[in-house]
Amino acid sequence: MTLNLILSFLLWHLLLLAAGPSSPTPTHAAAGQWTFLNPNIGISAMHMQLLNNDRVVIYDRTDFGRSNISLPNGKCRIDPNDTALTTDCTAHSVEYDVATNSIRPLMVLTDVWCSSGALMSDGRLIQTGGFNDGDRVVRVYRPCTGCDWEEIKSGLTQRRWYATNHILPDGRQIVIGGRRQFNYEFYPKIAGATTAYNLPFLVQTNDPKIENNLYPFVFLNVDGNLFIFANNRAILFDYLKDVVVKTYPEIPGGDPRTYPSTGSSVLLPLKNLQGLAMEAEVLVCGGAPKGSYTSAVNGNFVGALNTCGRIKITDPSPQWVMETMPLARVMGDMVLLPTGDVLIINGGSAGTAGWEYGRNPVFQPVIYRPNSPIGSRFEVQNPTTIPRMYHSTAILLRDGRVLIGGSNPHITYNFVGVLFPTELSLEAFSPSYLDSTVVDLRPKIVLPVSQTKLRYGQRIAIRFTVIVGVMAPGSSILAPAGYYLLFVVHQDIPSEGIWVQIQ
């Protein structure tokens, strides 16, 4: 028996009553299965986050006008700064219950358009910045029954629009960049620290006309420093000393990969090299060639990039290894699966991110298998029928499915007479490891039970048909304190995950 144990960290993508939960309708295929979950959750899923109670917080910008779901009990949001409605009795955030396929409207007060966020060690979602009256706001959502958004009006020192958050080993979050913000700050603040810190790398990667370095890709390296990728370059950054400790080579070809030339990125599963060292690799896929945004503004939609770059960020002299995807893609999402494979999904094959600037939806997801030989790592999957363009999202669920939502390339909600109507539906994509033909091979974790608390370096007995001992991560540098999904993988078939809290 081959056994792998994977810990997946889940950070960090309306008339008046939404349609109730529908009976899921599966569509079978050889490579993956699509299930239509709900035709109308009331809002377009611009951002989604799974919490450790198996609820998904979903939110959209507040200044689209009325949504398709009412706030409960006659509540209304009164906002004199809103550019669409100063009095709005509809919701722009909902909570999705995975188990019952149902939704609950939530009240978010300030504009979360192109905001950012991450989970704290206690399971709270910290959501920061946005547009207009939301650009300095910190919002908190707790995974508890009946809870709603809490908002801290001046929680940030700088305006943050298109920034990136990452949890740190000490439990704080770092908030990096944003439009016209070449700096970073922390949340929560250390006593007396009320300023932002300059990050010249964000100036160096900025094109003033296009700002091609927004939503930078940020990952915690195994040495405790941060890998930061913006535009077409990357650094290793010591945020404790405020110094760049390594500059990585420019990605071959030099084309931008961050917003609005929006590619996607993931930190691949860490590798323990026979106890000698930990190896970390980053994968960056898709995006749009130089000049694509300006071309799209002028009505010329340039073909998206069809390449991925992979780099061992722990190497003394790291170099990019380039690979060709079977499908070009911009505005795609990447999801790390329980098997350690990567799902690349959503987006288009021409144009860029931005209102009306994307074309040619890519209906087929692709699975990337990082441990297969180069040249045979990509596998095209069964297509959906729904375009998922600008502002679409994808997240992993505990049962191994991937939840898909969103797509609204318009500055308001628009359902008729447009290339890509505003999309209010939710779907789920089930990789082939959930096929009925392999259900008998699927392991089941008996012990530990879900919500088990673990200590760093603790030996864990994992029981299914056998008992296997494994070690929890050794430090908060390898895995910051928080809730993780634990899966057992046997012959490339994962169990359902259980929640564990490392503390």
Side-chain angles (χ1 to χ4, degrees):
M1 180 191 301
T2 301
L3 177 70
N4 297 310
L5 292 164
I6 296 176
L7 285 167
S8 298
F9 183 58
L10 303 179
L11 298 172
W12 193 334
H13 55 123
L14 324 159
L15 282 162
L16 290 175
L17 281 175
S22 58
S23 299
T25 306
T27 302
H28 294 276
Q33 172 180 306
W34 287 89
T35 304
F36 194 66
L37 296 175
N38 197 316
N40 180 5
I41 64 168
I43 68 172
S44 189
M46 182 181 290
H47 303 264
M48 295 197 297
Q49 176 64 57
L50 177 67
L51 303 176
N52 65 286
N53 60 357
D54 290 328
R55 308 290 174 89
V56 179
V57 178
I58 305 174
Y59 40 105
D60 198 358
R61 59 182 295 194
T62 59
D63 56 355
F64 275 132
R66 291 181 180 87
S67 73
N68 280 7
I69 181 169
S70 294
L71 287 165
N73 305 319
K75 291 181 181 178
C76 296
R77 182 177 59 90
I78 311 299
D79 185 357
N81 298 309
D82 195 292
T83 56
L85 291 171
T86 56
T87 300
D88 188 354
C89 302
T90 62
H92 298 278
S93 178
V94 299
E95 182 187 77
Y96 175 68
D97 186 327
V98 175
T100 62
N101 189 30
S102 61
I103 60 169
R104 179 173 70 90
L106 304 173
M107 180 182 277
V108 60
L109 296 173
T110 53
D111 199 347
V112 295
W113 176 27
C114 292
S115 53
S116 55
L119 296 174
M120 297 297 277
S121 60
D122 60 2
R124 289 176 299 153
L125 172 61
I126 302 297
Q127 207 279 335
T128 58
F131 182 63
N132 197 10
D133 62 355
D135 58 11
R136 292 177 187 257
V137 175
V138 172
R139 305 168 195 86
V140 181
Y141 193 85
R142 302 172 189 273
C144 49
T145 302
C147 285
D148 211 328
W149 288 101
E150 305 164 23
E151 304 201 22
I152 305 166
K153 291 292 185 182
S154 298
L156 299 174
T157 65
Q158 305 294 319
R159 300 173 63 238
R160 301 290 174 190
W161 193 28
Y162 299 91
T164 299
N165 294 31
H166 202 295
I167 191 169
L168 300 172
D170 63 9
R172 294 179 297 165
Q173 289 187 21
I174 189 169
V175 188
I176 300 175
R179 193 169 187 186
R180 303 189 185 97
Q181 296 295 340
F182 311 114
N183 53 64
Y184 63 96
E185 61 182 285
F186 300 96
Y187 184 84
K189 307 294 183 193
I190 295 176
T194 58
T195 61
Y197 304 87
N198 289 331
L199 185 56
F201 172 70
L202 295 178
V203 178
Q204 297 159 11
T205 54
N206 181 57
D207 181 334
K209 295 181 180 178
I210 302 174
E211 296 181 273
N212 246 332
N213 66 350
L214 301 177
Y215 276 146
F217 305 142
V218 181
F219 302 107
L220 182 63
N221 194 13
V222 297
D223 61 2
N225 296 315
L226 292 172
F227 174 89
I228 305 175
F229 182 104
N231 197 328
N232 55 17
R233 285 181 279 163
I235 58 171
L236 191 63
F237 184 63
D238 184 338
Y239 62 91
L240 293 173
K241 297 179 180 178
D242 192 29
V243 296
V244 174
V245 295
K246 182 179 290 186
T247 298
Y248 294 93
E250 180 181 285
I251 195 167
D255 288 312
R257 307 283 180 150
T258 49
Y259 184 93
S261 298
T262 305
S264 50
S265 184
V266 69
L267 177 68
L268 295 173
L270 303 180
K271 294 180 180 178
N272 191 331
L273 302 179
Q274 298 179 342
L276 300 176
M278 296 294 293
E279 182 178 272
E281 291 185 89
V282 167
L283 181 70
V284 176
C285 290
K290 291 178 183 177
S292 294
Y293 183 83
T294 302
S295 294
V297 171
N298 293 320
N300 178 28
F301 304 98
V302 178
L305 298 174
N306 68 346
T307 55
C308 292
R310 181 168 167 175
I311 189 168
K312 293 182 181 178
I313 64 175
T314 46
D315 272 10
S317 300
Q319 298 294 322
W320 290 96
V321 175
M322 302 305 292
E323 302 179 63
T324 301
M325 296 189 292
L327 302 168
R329 195 179 305 255
V330 64
M331 299 180 291
D333 297 298
M334 294 173 75
V335 180
L336 189 64
L337 299 176
T339 55
D341 296 333
V342 180
L343 180 69
I344 310 171
I345 199 165
N346 297 336
S349 62
T352 71
W355 303 127
E356 316 295 344
Y357 296 151
R359 291 293 186 275
N360 304 341
V362 183
F363 293 102
Q364 292 176 290
V366 169
I367 285 182
Y368 176 84
R369 305 190 187 281
N371 296 324
S372 294
I374 192 167
S376 60
R377 290 174 174 162
F378 295 97
E379 181 182 287
V380 177
Q381 304 293 291
N382 185 47
T384 182
T385 59
I386 300 175
R388 299 287 182 181
M389 300 293 282
Y390 189 43
H391 293 143
S392 57
T393 47
I395 58 171
L396 178 69
L397 300 177
R398 187 167 60 87
D399 58 17
R401 294 177 300 161
V402 176
L403 184 68
I404 314 295
S407 187
N408 184 30
H410 319 295
I411 204 165
T412 61
Y413 279 6
N414 199 337
F415 302 99
V416 295
V418 290
L419 278 175
F420 310 115
T422 301
E423 189 57 61
L424 306 183
S425 68
L426 286 182
E427 299 174 278
F429 177 73
S430 298
S432 56
Y433 57 63
L434 293 176
D435 286 354
S436 59
T437 55
V438 297
V439 67
D440 292 340
L441 297 177
R442 194 174 195 195
K444 180 180 180 180
I445 299 175
V446 178
L447 289 174
V449 296
S450 198
Q451 307 294 333
T452 290
K453 292 177 168 42
L454 303 176
R455 300 182 307 278
Y456 287 107
Q458 177 182 342
R459 188 169 182 81
I460 315 163
I462 308 294
R463 179 180 175 188
F464 46 113
T465 55
V466 295
I467 298 177
V468 178
V470 297
M471 298 292 288
S475 75
S476 60
I477 290 176
L478 296 179
Y483 285 89
Y484 292 76
L485 281 175
L486 174 67
F487 296 92
V488 170
V489 181
H490 170 57
Q491 296 183 3
D492 287 330
I493 310 296
S495 68
E496 186 172 275
I498 64 167
W499 289 104
V500 295
Q501 185 183 20
I502 301 178
Q503 55 186 6

